[in-house]
Amino acid sequence: MTIALNHTIVWCTDKERSSRFMTELFELPPARPFGMFAVVEVDNGVSLDFAEGDRDVKKQHYAFLVGEDDFTAIYGRIVERGLDHWADPGRQQAGEINRHDGGRGVYFQDPDGHLLEILTRPYGSGD
């Protein structure tokens, strides 16, 4: 049996703003429209389908496994933009990155408060 995540809906207050935040920060191609969605494709065939809701946006967590060079570039854009960021999901270690499993990781928020994470090693994978 083969099971793979294909897409997930990211509820937001402004799909253009939220999808642009993601594509610019991660240097991805611009979102493409599909019905009510602004679709952002990531490298492993999964898409984030941004949709505007008429209800309060429930905050979610989205984690992205990235290479070392990509981490350096994305983290540089986080700092350059003055985005708050943390080494931990509880947001207690402000302005820091973590070094779990011999890699690097950091948490930050998108315009609707979703907690995004970039990490270079899967948890439990290393040193």
Side-chain angles (χ1 to χ4, degrees):
M1 179 185 321
T2 301
I3 300 172
L5 181 65
N6 177 262
H7 68 276
T8 191
I9 296 173
V10 180
W11 292 102
C12 58
T13 56
D14 181 332
K15 67 183 177 185
E16 301 307 324
R17 176 187 67 176
S18 293
S19 63
R20 187 173 48 255
F21 175 86
M22 177 76 62
T23 59
E24 289 177 356
L25 197 65
F26 288 5
E27 289 193 333
L28 295 170
R32 64 176 171 76
F34 180 75
M36 64 181 272
F37 303 105
V39 178
V40 174
E41 302 280 345
V42 294
D43 291 332
N44 61 344
V46 174
S47 68
L48 302 170
D49 299 357
F50 290 87
E52 295 171 10
D54 58 356
R55 59 178 194 241
D56 291 334
V57 173
K58 302 294 185 221
K59 310 303 187 260
Q60 298 292 320
H61 170 64
Y62 300 95
F64 301 90
L65 186 62
V66 301
E68 287 289 341
D69 291 341
D70 291 322
F71 183 96
T72 299
I74 295 166
Y75 183 68
R77 289 188 287 277
I78 290 169
V79 171
E80 179 181 281
R81 291 179 179 202
L83 299 176
D84 291 336
H85 59 280
W86 305 268
D88 64 308
R91 295 176 277 179
Q92 300 299 307
Q93 299 170 305
E96 299 178 33
I97 63 172
N98 67 57
R99 303 232 177 240
H100 300 310
D101 294 296
R104 295 183 290 168
V106 71
Y107 298 81
F108 56 99
Q109 292 178 301
D110 83 345
D112 284 297
H114 294 300
L115 190 60
L116 306 181
E117 175 185 9
I118 55 171
L119 66 159
T120 61
R121 298 281 305 262
Y123 293 124
S125 69
D127 307 343

